[in-house]
């Protein structure tokens, strides 16, 4: 079934794995959860020999075990969960995995934007049915959040701080009262949340000041801060994991040379270090230099090598993809990258050799083309 989708949700992609975990799960389960908290942690972080399972469960999210445990415990309470962090730190992926493991449905999602309205988190109406038969529960269109309430499952709210204060205020009553009133109806005019309902929201820490959360809404959430991955080994595992998924999805047979992965990781580490020491925004790349953007750079290079190259990933192609992905402002970003290429990549290529000289040349060509 997942082969028929461009991007299958986690509960479809890992359906066989979730079925098996459910069949061997003997732990206590809160509410109507499909898996126990221990099995949910295992599903997300992967199995170990000490777990004593007959089947290996691969790791799907790479981060601190305590963060996952705190997230699971929060959802077992009556509080909402707010995952907050920089772009590309895996907040949405963790939210999807949690919802898939708990409810076997991660698709009840509201996307927070400036255009998100109260209807998007409560309900709206089928206009043609209202005209024909009047307002009733049949002519009502429940939001993903209301659907989650009725089913006693997890609802998700992406980019909460992007939505306006009116939308955030409407969410307060849902989280505190656990019901939604429908004043347009005389009968059957309250939807109560069933046991197991909760909300996982995400927020971008760089959006602070866009639509700050009120203190009342903050009290309804437990905050779990997702840090930027700085450990090179962990970051390499994440990039490799996502890249292997890409290769399988596109049915591409192409090796990822460890030396090129090291160059990619080192380049991002260098650029992050330069950004942290910069004295103004003009001296920083507009990119957040997240792990997700590393994956995007590598994906671009792999696809380019497959369709327009000799089906071998080369340093020159990787350099071109890096420059093309990170040079979003002209001339500011191009100037920063040019400085990095001359001040860091060039000396390193002379000192370390290997793939660095080809990486140097590829970056120079890409910068010259975009300048």
């Amino acid at each position: 079934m997942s082969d028929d989708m461009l991007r299958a949700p986690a509960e479809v992609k890992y359906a066989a794995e979730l079925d098996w975990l459910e069949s061997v799960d003997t732990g206590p389960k809160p509410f109507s959860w499909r898996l126990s908290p221990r099995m949910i942690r295992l599903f997300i972080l992967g199995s170990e020999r000490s777990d004593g399972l007959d089947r290996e469960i691969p790791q799907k999210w790479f981060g601190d075990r305590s963060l996952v445990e705190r997230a699971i415990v929060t959802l077992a309470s009556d509080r909402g969960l707010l995952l907050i962090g920089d772009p590309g730190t895996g907040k949405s992926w963790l939210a999807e995995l949690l919802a898939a493991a708990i409810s076997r449905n991660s698709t009840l999602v509201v996307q927070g934007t400036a255009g998100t309205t109260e209807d998007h988190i409560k309900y709206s109406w089928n206009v043609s049915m209202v005209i024909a038969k009047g307002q009733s529960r049949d002519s009502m269109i429940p939001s993903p959040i209301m659907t989650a309430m009725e089913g006693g499952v997890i609802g998700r709210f992406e980019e909460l701080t992007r939505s306006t204060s009116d939308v955030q205020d409407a969410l307060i009553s849902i989280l505190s009262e656990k019901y939604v009133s429908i004043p347009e109806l005389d009968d059957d005019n309250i939807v109560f949340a069933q046991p197991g309902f909760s909300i996982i929201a995400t927020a971008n820490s760089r959006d602070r000041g866009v639509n700050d959360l009120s203190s009342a809404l903050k009290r309804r959430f437990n905050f779990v801060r997702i840090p930027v991955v700085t450990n090179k080994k962990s970051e390499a595992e994440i990039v490799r994991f996502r890249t292997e998924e890409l290769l399988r999805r596109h049915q591409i047979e192409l090796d990822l040379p460890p030396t090129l992965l090291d160059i990619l990781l080192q380049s991002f580490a260098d650029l992050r270090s330069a950004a942290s020491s910069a004295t103004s925004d003009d001296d920083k790349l507009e990119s957040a230099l997240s792990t997700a953007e590393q994956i995007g750079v590598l994906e671009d290079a792999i696809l380019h090598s497959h369709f327009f190259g000799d089906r071998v990933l080369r340093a020159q192609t990787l350099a071109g993809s890096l420059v093309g992905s990170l040079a979003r402002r002209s001339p500011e970003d191009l100037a920063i990258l040019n400085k990095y290429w001359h001040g860091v990549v060039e000396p390193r290529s002379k000192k370390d050799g290997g793939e660095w000289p080809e990486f140097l040349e590829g970056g120079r060509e890409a910068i010259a083309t975009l300048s």
Side-chain angles (χ1 to χ4, degrees):
M1 182 177 177
S2 61
D3 294 337
D4 298 331
M5 304 178 190
L6 182 61
R7 183 195 178 280
E11 63 272 16
V12 174
K13 184 176 182 178
Y14 302 111
E17 194 174 295
L18 287 166
D19 287 340
W20 184 83
L21 287 172
E22 194 170 340
S23 70
V24 300
D25 190 2
T26 58
K29 305 178 184 68
F31 312 116
S32 57
W33 286 21
R34 300 290 294 270
L35 292 176
S36 66
R38 286 184 178 274
M39 281 297 187
I40 293 169
R41 183 187 66 183
L42 189 147
F43 169 70
I44 294 171
L45 296 176
S47 60
E48 300 174 353
R49 284 188 177 181
S50 58
D51 294 315
L53 297 178
D54 297 331
R55 173 175 176 170
E56 181 182 359
I57 303 300
Q59 188 171 3
K60 301 166 189 68
W61 188 82
F62 297 81
D64 193 282
R65 176 183 294 263
S66 65
L67 298 179
V68 176
E69 291 176 351
R70 176 170 166 76
I72 295 169
V73 169
T74 294
L75 294 170
S77 71
D78 63 348
R79 298 172 68 82
L81 171 64
L82 180 61
L83 303 174
I84 186 168
D86 282 354
T89 49
K91 302 182 297 295
S92 297
W93 179 232
L94 178 57
E96 181 177 339
L97 290 171
L98 286 166
I102 292 171
S103 307
R104 296 295 288 266
N105 187 353
S106 64
T107 61
L108 299 174
V109 185
V110 173
Q111 181 65 50
T113 68
T116 303
T117 66
E118 192 173 332
D119 292 351
H120 291 114
I121 63 170
K122 287 187 173 180
Y123 58 89
S124 56
W125 298 97
N126 184 318
V127 177
S128 60
M129 288 185 67
V130 169
I131 293 173
K133 299 181 180 180
Q135 289 177 320
S136 66
R137 287 297 293 269
D138 290 337
S139 60
M140 189 178 74
I141 304 173
S143 71
I145 299 298
M146 181 178 281
T147 301
M149 293 175 69
E150 291 181 298
V153 296
I154 302 295
R156 295 169 52 202
F157 200 121
E158 289 289 309
E159 305 293 353
L160 180 57
T161 49
R162 286 282 175 180
S163 56
T164 62
S165 57
D166 291 344
V167 174
Q168 294 181 20
D169 289 344
L171 198 59
I172 293 175
S173 63
I174 292 175
L175 288 168
S176 57
E177 305 300 335
K178 300 294 193 295
Y179 67 79
V180 173
S181 297
I182 311 169
E184 295 91 341
L185 302 181
D186 295 327
D187 300 313
D188 196 15
N189 58 3
I190 298 180
V191 173
F192 291 97
Q194 298 300 303
F197 165 73
S198 192
I199 291 176
I200 305 175
T202 64
N204 187 338
S205 55
R206 295 199 174 200
D207 286 343
R208 191 170 298 164
V210 177
N211 288 299
D212 287 335
L213 303 183
S214 66
S215 57
L217 185 54
K218 287 179 180 178
R219 287 198 304 271
R220 271 69 180 185
F221 281 109
N222 270 356
F223 283 55
V224 173
R225 297 190 176 274
I226 310 297
V228 173
V229 178
T230 55
N231 181 283
K232 188 174 286 189
K233 181 180 178 182
S234 298
E235 196 163 41
E237 289 176 338
I238 296 170
V239 174
R240 192 177 293 109
F241 173 76
R242 287 298 195 183
T243 304
E244 288 173 355
E245 283 191 332
L246 165 75
L247 294 173
R248 283 195 299 270
R249 187 167 69 243
H250 288 280
Q251 298 181 339
I252 295 174
E253 294 184 5
L254 187 148
D255 291 331
L256 174 58
T259 52
L260 290 187
L261 180 56
D262 287 341
I263 287 177
L264 177 65
L265 295 170
Q266 186 61 57
S267 298
F268 267 72
D270 292 338
L271 291 167
R272 286 171 186 158
S273 178
S276 64
S277 60
T279 55
S280 69
D281 288 341
D282 288 341
D283 296 327
K284 298 179 183 178
L285 289 170
E286 188 176 72
S287 164
L289 297 170
S290 66
T291 305
E293 285 168 313
Q294 285 191 64
I295 295 166
V297 169
L298 194 54
E299 179 180 5
D300 181 83
I302 287 173
L303 292 175
H304 194 279
S305 300
H306 180 71
F307 292 116
F308 299 109
D310 54 4
R311 300 191 177 185
V312 175
L313 182 60
R314 302 190 183 281
Q316 186 171 5
T317 306
L318 182 65
S321 295
L322 191 148
V323 171
S325 298
L326 300 186
R328 299 174 183 176
R329 300 175 301 173
S330 182
E332 294 90 347
D333 285 350
L334 283 172
I336 294 169
L337 289 169
N338 189 53
K339 180 180 178 182
Y340 168 66
W341 240 261
H342 283 285
V344 179
V345 177
E346 185 174 349
R348 188 170 283 144
S349 69
K350 293 178 180 178
K351 178 183 176 183
D352 299 340
E355 304 276 6
W356 282 101
E358 187 179 339
F359 185 74
L360 170 68
E361 187 61 31
R364 283 175 169 170
E365 291 177 3
I367 291 170
T369 300
L370 294 173
S371 298

